[in-house]
């Protein structure tokens, strides 16, 4: 009996050790499979929970407005993103006209997604979306709401996608201050117990003063986040201890604690850019 | 049959845990539904079932979060092993037992995960929040195990799958 018990423990220990030392590919596949099998029911439960929330709101006298509000939010986000994309495209176009040397231009597409869950472990600030690879979502793409940037996709399986929120200390975004154009690296400050989410914009050039209220947007550097997505506003500016840089507290515009619907921003390569690459930049552009 | 019920119960536990948000007031400690089920199996079921439940609960927990695969399984297995080791010294159906075992075991699991996750650089957490999370883990562990144990126990009784030692 004693031996049987020992064998059981040793077997389980062996399994755990095997799990801990799995190659990344096998580990990812295992995770993806388990998440995929839980996803349909999670989707139902998440949707039910969302509908319950909405029903409660209806009883509070805001009925009828919810759908309209959602439709308008979707339209607003489409329009805002389009304006920002056009602004970026305008600047880019001017540059191209001057140089006639560019490799690629992109257009943005928004994939609407429902939030079906939050991080179950309590160690990360993340949400789970009810759409995945089969809907055209890839890892490391920006996620936004009508208010602004929310985070980026991390683990994507066929039906669900995990999103690391801006508030997570592990989430870093290359950002810039709209007014001055000064660049910096934005990182999550966790979610303090008072509930007010703050991020920190580090490494801002100290010779370009930032001030409270400045708008912070994505810079487009790094390849994950497209240029010009609104992140939030500067709350307070500090001088680095070493005196080399400024850093600032930034309050994200999007309410990261109340996310029901979000949009994944995907970029599709412009066919024209492909053609230009094939035929040669200068000649192709003139034609 | 026992195995199927165990898998179904853990699956359902994972679903419930995924819709229960971590509590800000308790340092963002999550509701340990899966772990509570593992504790139930450790207290009330056979050794093999208890260990398999701990292993699978950990696997589910890790798969549904960013925790690297195996971390939760290791923590849960050690915790369930300790629970199993001491279950003959206590009244396993008393709510005080669930309260104390739940609180201490969940505290231990959060501490073990913190050591692994912070030590290996997967998570950055100020120590004040960690202390708060550990305290939250104590409370949520006590509450969740106290709720989950009777429910799981009733389910197994209803299905006529009571463990022989329990009937005695």
């Amino acid at each position: 009996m004693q031996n049987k018990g020992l064998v059981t423990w040793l077997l389980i220990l062996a399994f755990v050790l095997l799990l801990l030392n799995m190659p990344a590919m096998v580990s990812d596949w295992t995770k993806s499979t388990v998440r995929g099998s839980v996803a349909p029911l999670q989707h139902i439960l998440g949707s039910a929970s969302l509908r319950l929330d909405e029903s409660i709101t209806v009883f509070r006298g805001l009925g009828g407005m919810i759908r309209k509000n959602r439709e308008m939010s979707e339209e607003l986000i489409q329009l805002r993103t389009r304006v920002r994309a056009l602004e970026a495209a305008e600047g880019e176009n001017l540059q191209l006209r001057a140089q006639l040397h560019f490799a690629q231009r992109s257009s943005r597409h928004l994939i609407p997604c429902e939030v079906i869950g939050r991080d179950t472990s309590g160690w990360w600030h993340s949400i789970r979306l009810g759409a995945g690879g089969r809907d055209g979502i890839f890892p490391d793409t920006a996620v936004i709401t009508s208010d602004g940037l929310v985070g980026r996709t991390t683990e994507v399986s066929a039906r669900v996608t995990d999103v690391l929120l801006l508030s997570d200390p592990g989430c870093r975004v290359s950002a810039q201050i709209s007014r001055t154009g000064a660049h910096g690296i934005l990182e999550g400050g966790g979610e303090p117990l008072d509930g007010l989410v703050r991020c920190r914009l580090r490494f801002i050039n100290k010779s370009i003063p930032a001030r409270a209220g400045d708008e912070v947007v994505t810079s487009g550097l790094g390849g994950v986040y497209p240029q010009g997505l609104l992140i939030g506003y500067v709350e307070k500016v500090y001088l680095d201890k070493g005196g080399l840089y400024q850093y600032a507290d930034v309050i994200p515009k999007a309410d990261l604690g109340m996310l029901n619907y979000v949009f994944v921003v995907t970029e599709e390569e412009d066919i024209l850019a492909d053609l230009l690459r094939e035929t040669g930049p200068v000649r192709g552009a003139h034609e | 049959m026992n195995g199927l019920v165990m898998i179904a119960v853990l699956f359902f536990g994972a679903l419930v845990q995924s819709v229960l948000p971590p509590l800000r007031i308790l340092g963002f400690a999550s509701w340990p539904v899966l772990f509570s089920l593992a504790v139930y199996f450790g207290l009330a079921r056979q050794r093999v079932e208890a260990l398999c439940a701990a292993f699978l609960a950990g696997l589910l927990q890790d798969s549904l979060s960013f925790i690297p695969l195996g971390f939760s399984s290791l923590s849960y297995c050690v915790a369930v092993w300790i629970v199993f080791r001491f279950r003959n010294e206590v009244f396993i159906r008393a709510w005080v037992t669930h309260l104390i075992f739940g609180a201490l075991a969940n505290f231990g699991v959060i501490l073990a995960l913190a050591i692994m996750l912070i030590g290996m650089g997967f998570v950055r957490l100020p120590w004040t929040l960690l202390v708060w999370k550990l305290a939250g883990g104590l409370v949520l562990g006590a509450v969740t195990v106290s709720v989950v144990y009777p429910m799981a126990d009733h389910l197994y009784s209803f299905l006529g799958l009571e463990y022989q030692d329990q009937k005695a």
Side-chain angles (χ1 to χ4, degrees):
Chain A
M1 187 68 185
Q2 197 75 349
N3 281 344
K4 197 182 163 193
L6 190 67
V7 169
T8 314
W9 288 114
L10 286 175
L11 263 176
I12 288 290
L13 185 68
F15 273 121
V16 171
L17 287 175
L18 189 73
L19 212 58
L20 283 166
N21 291 294
M22 264 184 187
M25 209 172 71
V26 183
S27 169
D28 288 347
W29 179 84
T30 311
K31 273 190 159 196
S32 178
T33 308
V34 175
R35 276 156 22 120
S37 60
V38 176
L41 282 172
Q42 198 179 8
H43 199 285
I44 293 169
L45 211 61
S47 296
S49 159
L50 190 62
R51 300 292 170 267
L52 188 71
D53 267 2
E54 288 180 350
S55 305
I56 291 168
T57 316
V58 168
F59 279 115
R60 284 179 181 162
L62 292 171
M65 297 296 288
I66 296 167
R67 207 171 68 188
K68 186 145 187 158
N69 189 29
R70 195 192 306 161
E71 283 168 6
M72 287 174 73
S73 293
E74 283 178 16
E75 197 182 337
L76 181 67
I77 186 76
Q78 297 273 6
L79 290 172
R80 273 192 189 170
T81 311
R82 205 165 160 196
V83 167
R84 286 185 192 283
L86 287 172
E87 282 172 358
E90 189 186 24
E92 192 179 36
N93 198 16
L94 287 172
Q95 262 186 334
L96 291 175
R97 277 175 190 276
Q99 297 177 9
L100 281 175
H101 285 295
F102 67 96
Q104 183 179 337
R105 202 175 67 199
S106 63
S107 58
R108 289 176 199 168
H109 289 262
L110 301 179
I111 302 172
C113 303
E114 201 173 307
V115 178
I116 59 167
R118 288 193 158 257
D119 176 42
T120 55
S121 68
W123 293 101
W124 284 271
H125 298 273
S126 69
I127 52 172
R128 177 158 296 152
L129 310 180
R134 67 176 185 175
D135 303 291
I137 299 175
F138 296 96
D140 287 331
T141 46
V143 180
I144 58 176
T145 66
S146 56
D147 288 328
L149 186 69
V150 164
R152 69 175 159 89
T153 59
T154 48
E155 292 176 9
V156 180
S157 57
R159 291 174 178 170
V160 289
T161 301
D162 284 343
V163 175
L164 191 67
L165 297 176
L166 273 182
S167 54
D168 192 281
C171 186
R172 297 198 176 110
V173 184
S174 175
Q176 68 182 128
I177 294 172
S178 293
R179 186 178 56 82
T180 61
H183 286 253
I185 303 290
L186 187 99
E187 55 185 44
E191 209 166 329
L193 297 173
D194 64 9
L196 186 60
V197 177
R198 282 185 189 84
C199 299
R200 184 150 282 186
L201 186 61
R202 294 183 184 278
F203 309 117
I204 313 167
N205 189 339
K206 71 170 183 179
S207 58
I208 311 172
R211 56 179 187 232
D214 276 350
E215 186 185 68
V216 179
V217 296
T218 52
S219 70
L221 300 175
V224 175
Y225 305 95
Q227 191 180 13
L229 295 175
L230 177 65
I231 297 172
Y233 297 95
V234 171
E235 187 195 31
K236 213 170 177 183
V237 183
Y238 310 87
L239 189 65
D240 184 58
K241 274 181 189 168
L244 293 171
Y245 300 99
Q246 299 172 95
Y247 63 94
D249 285 339
V250 176
I251 309 278
K253 178 74 168 61
D255 185 353
L256 303 179
M258 296 287 289
L259 298 169
N260 291 329
Y261 299 96
V262 295
F263 298 86
V264 176
V265 184
T266 60
E267 302 218 11
E268 285 187 1
E269 280 190 15
D270 199 326
I271 298 164
L272 179 65
D274 288 339
L275 280 172
L276 286 174
R277 246 177 278 134
E278 281 167 19
T279 54
V282 179
R283 190 161 47 97
H286 280 300
E287 282 166 7
Chain B
M1 183 65 180
N2 274 339
L4 282 176
V5 174
M6 182 180 77
I7 290 169
V9 164
L10 289 174
F11 202 76
F12 181 72
L15 282 172
V16 173
Q17 188 168 325
S18 71
V19 291
L20 293 174
L23 294 180
R24 178 181 295 149
I25 199 165
L26 293 175
F28 293 96
S30 61
W31 293 90
V33 181
L34 277 168
F35 179 61
S36 299
L37 286 168
V39 170
Y40 163 75
F41 282 96
L43 276 172
R45 308 297 298 177
Q46 298 176 65
R47 180 190 284 119
V48 178
E49 263 186 276
L51 283 174
C52 288
F55 180 79
L56 288 175
L59 186 70
L60 275 170
Q61 170 71 73
D62 291 348
S63 298
L64 296 175
S65 68
F66 294 140
I67 300 176
L69 219 54
F71 281 29
S72 296
S73 289
L74 179 65
S75 316
Y76 288 8
C77 282
V78 172
V80 168
W81 174 69
I82 294 168
V83 167
F84 191 86
R85 169 73 183 77
F86 287 101
R87 74 176 186 175
N88 291 331
E89 324 287 330
V90 295
F91 298 106
I92 57 169
R93 287 191 165 174
W95 65 269
V96 180
T97 305
H98 308 155
L99 216 67
I100 294 171
F101 270 57
L104 294 179
N106 197 38
F107 178 88
V109 162
I110 293 179
L111 187 63
L113 281 174
I115 291 168
M116 286 191 278
L117 292 173
I118 297 171
M120 291 183 181
F122 289 108
V123 166
R124 284 191 301 152
L125 204 65
W127 69 269
T128 44
L129 195 60
L130 178 61
V131 171
W132 203 241
K133 191 188 270 291
L134 285 166
L138 268 173
V139 176
L140 287 183
V143 172
T144 317
V145 172
S146 301
V147 173
V148 165
Y149 186 100
M151 288 170 81
D153 209 26
H154 276 106
L155 177 73
Y156 271 89
S157 300
F158 178 74
L159 295 172
L161 294 172
E162 272 185 312
Y163 179 40
Q164 291 305 313
D165 280 7
Q166 274 185 288
K167 282 181 179 169

